[in-house]
Amino acid sequence: MPAKGARAIALRTRLLAAMLGPLLGAAAIIGIGGATLIADVVRRTNDRVLGGALGAIAETVQVERGEVTLDLPPAAFGMLENSERDNVYYRIAVGRDLLTGYADLPAPDPATLSVDQPRFRFARYRDQGVRIAEVKRMLPRIVQPVIIQVAETLDNRKTLAGQLTIALLLGEVALVGVAVLLLRPALGWSLRPLARLRRSVEARDSSLRPDFSPLDAGPLPNELRPLATAFDHLLAQLDKATGGVRRFTADASHQMRTPLSVLKVQVELARRGSSAALDEIADAVQRLERLVTQLLALARAEEGGVSPPLEAVDLKEVSSAVIGRLINQAIQAGVELDLDAQDGESYLVQAHRTLVFEIIANLIDNGIRYNGRGGMVTVLLAREADHVRLTVSDDGPGIASKYHDRIFERFFRAAGLTGADGTGLGLAIVQSAASRMGASVSIASDGPGTRICVMFNTPAD
């Protein structure tokens, strides 16, 4: 993991290094290959001249009166003259017997030579490297083969090869230098879209209000489009989140203003000696407490970030726990609570226990609040293939179908419902919590009575 505050290598430097590395590698390969080719060309060219001199001398070897004779042509040695003044040596022998030339010139084994087929080899002679051209000839009436050898030192070859190699290296250096000079402006041109993208992001800093609109960085290459798309997606998520926070804050402040105003009025009345004001204060505090509690529950249901993994939750066990928690409220309201679930049936679902508790608690709480004395709130559990259906129904006045599309909006309350102390957050909490767990919520109500159904996924086998 990089250390905090560590700086990465600049992108321009990375690209320059990434381009120069292969370029220098290719230049090295070309240099080695070129030097090898130059050495081979120089060797072949000089061998051709050396072979010509050998052929000119071999043609003068003849037999007269049973003896081998020759006439060394000056032109044969003249063609070997060069600016480096290489030394030239020769040797002509019949078998092992020297006919003319340098006796100590390294002699070949006649058995290794083919008749009239010149052969070239490197050797050491008089502490110098030499190149020897040699051929074997068979003459009429001469039993022993005639061996003709011509040798020259290597100074001219080395000088010519060195000059060509230096020219090749200078050409490569010039090529790499020009490439370096051209790469920097080329990289600057290539990185221009990235600079436009950066300026488009930086321009948002000058705005007094956060700007979450999509970036306007002009045409972008294919490599930068995914980055810009991902950034626009992030901006859209931020816009949605901040918009939700703004709406939530505005709605919450609006809803809290009423009980706070009541509190202020009743406190003033209590100061004047009104005993009934204390009851109103207690009622307003209770309503405010419930509002804050539901606001916190809604915040938990809608909170972003990475949710913990879903776990197996027993709907029957959670429903029983919720009923036990709300039984006193139901008794005070004169409402009966009933759990309808088959014995021995498994009601395990993939969910978060806390969110499931919130869903069931809010549905039962709504059923109690918007019910009449003597009414009933029923929690029905039913297993359906790979789902478990939770249905909470009550005997209240029901919700008109024209409000079904808006009933899950926060702070929305359908007209004509009793229970003035409601906050309009219960079903919003149910919808948000269900969405976080991949569950679906539906309403079936057109009066009398309301039925809210939540469909949970069952754990995979």
Side-chain angles (χ1 to χ4, degrees):
M1 186 175 179
K4 185 177 180 180
R7 297 185 62 183
I9 301 175
L11 182 58
R12 187 188 298 271
T13 304
R14 286 173 181 265
L15 292 174
L16 189 60
M19 293 180 181
L20 283 181
L23 180 61
L24 292 176
I29 294 174
I30 293 174
I32 295 173
T36 303
L37 180 63
I38 287 172
D40 183 67
V41 170
V42 170
R43 178 181 61 78
R44 289 175 180 272
T45 302
N46 284 272
D47 282 355
R48 191 174 293 112
V49 177
L50 188 61
L54 176 68
I57 294 174
E59 289 178 359
T60 65
V61 178
Q62 299 177 357
V63 179
E64 293 183 3
R65 298 190 184 95
E67 297 211 3
V68 178
T69 62
L70 77 154
D71 182 15
L72 292 176
F77 296 100
M79 68 176 64
L80 296 176
E81 292 181 356
N82 54 61
S83 59
E84 300 300 325
R85 299 185 178 277
D86 281 316
N87 294 327
V88 179
Y89 308 97
Y90 67 95
R91 179 178 179 275
I92 299 96
V94 181
R96 300 286 181 181
D97 299 329
L98 179 67
L99 184 62
T100 184
Y102 295 83
D104 56 349
L105 190 67
D109 181 1
T112 62
L113 294 174
S114 300
V115 177
D116 295 330
Q117 294 293 325
R119 186 179 71 178
F120 299 87
R121 61 188 174 93
F122 290 102
R124 295 291 298 177
Y125 180 61
R126 296 185 180 181
D127 296 329
Q128 292 182 349
V130 295
R131 181 71 167 170
I132 299 176
E134 49 199 13
V135 68
K136 178 171 75 173
R137 295 195 63 189
M138 300 301 296
L139 299 178
R141 301 183 299 278
I142 303 297
V143 178
Q144 297 293 329
V146 179
I147 305 300
I148 301 100
Q149 292 178 280
V150 179
E152 68 173 346
T153 54
L154 306 177
D155 292 342
N156 182 64
R157 295 174 183 244
K158 292 179 180 179
T159 300
L160 180 60
Q163 290 175 346
L164 293 176
T165 301
I166 291 174
L168 174 64
L169 293 178
L170 290 177
E172 287 193 330
V173 170
L175 177 63
V176 172
V178 171
V180 172
L181 293 177
L182 294 179
L183 276 177
R184 293 194 69 85
L187 286 175
W189 175 80
S190 301
L191 294 176
R192 246 180 236 168
L194 188 59
R196 289 201 311 269
L197 188 62
R198 174 179 57 83
R199 288 194 296 269
S200 180
V201 175
E202 289 177 345
R204 306 295 176 95
D205 292 342
S206 59
S207 302
L208 296 178
R209 182 179 179 182
D211 184 3
F212 297 115
S213 61
L215 294 176
D216 183 15
L220 292 176
N222 293 334
E223 294 79 5
L224 289 180
R225 286 177 187 170
L227 176 61
T229 302
F231 197 81
D232 287 342
H233 181 65
L234 177 61
L235 289 177
Q237 288 183 318
L238 289 174
D239 188 25
K240 181 178 179 181
T242 54
V245 170
R246 286 194 296 268
R247 289 192 303 272
F248 184 83
T249 303
D251 293 341
S253 61
H254 177 269
Q255 292 295 323
M256 293 179 70
R257 189 176 298 118
T258 299
L260 289 176
S261 299
V262 171
L263 274 176
K264 289 174 63 177
V265 172
Q266 298 303 326
V267 168
E268 187 63 28
L269 291 176
R271 286 177 177 174
R272 296 178 182 180
S274 173
S275 58
L278 295 177
D279 295 333
E280 293 294 334
I281 290 175
D283 182 65
V285 169
Q286 185 178 2
R287 291 175 57 193
L288 185 59
E289 179 185 13
R290 171 170 167 72
L291 176 61
V292 171
T293 301
Q294 288 206 304
L295 286 173
L296 292 175
L298 182 60
R300 284 196 303 270
E302 294 185 343
E303 66 183 358
V306 179
S307 300
L310 300 178
E311 58 186 358
V313 178
D314 187 349
L315 279 185
K316 186 175 181 181
E317 181 271 327
V318 178
S319 299
S320 299
V322 175
I323 290 175
R325 176 76 63 86
L326 300 179
I327 190 65
N328 289 333
Q329 179 184 346
I331 292 173
Q332 292 177 4
V335 175
E336 183 179 350
L337 299 183
D338 180 50
L339 174 60
D340 186 356
Q342 295 183 8
D343 294 334
E345 182 68 75
S346 174
Y347 297 106
L348 291 178
V349 296
Q350 283 285 90
H352 299 296
R353 192 182 189 283
T354 301
L355 295 181
V356 171
F357 194 97
E358 291 286 350
I359 289 175
I360 300 175
N362 277 279
L363 291 178
I364 294 178
D365 180 76
N366 278 359
I368 294 172
R369 289 178 182 276
Y370 297 104
N371 215 325
R373 298 193 69 84
M376 175 177 288
V377 176
T378 303
V379 179
L380 173 64
L381 300 180
R383 188 176 181 89
E384 302 177 2
D386 56 349
H387 295 84
V388 174
R389 180 186 296 273
L390 167 74
T391 304
V392 179
S393 58
D394 61 58
D395 299 331
I399 302 173
S401 57
K402 62 181 180 180
Y403 298 124
H404 287 185
D405 292 338
R406 300 190 57 196
I407 197 63
F408 294 104
E409 295 179 9
R410 64 185 63 174
F411 302 114
F412 177 80
R413 301 180 65 197
L417 292 180
T418 59
D421 58 345
T423 63
L425 288 174
L427 292 182
I429 294 173
V430 171
Q431 176 72 21
S432 296
S435 298
R436 288 195 61 190
M437 298 183 293
S440 61
V441 184
S442 61
I443 179 172
S445 173
D446 201 9
T450 301
R451 294 188 307 280
I452 305 293
C453 300
V454 185
M455 190 74 78
F456 292 93
N457 297 318
T458 57
D461 295 334

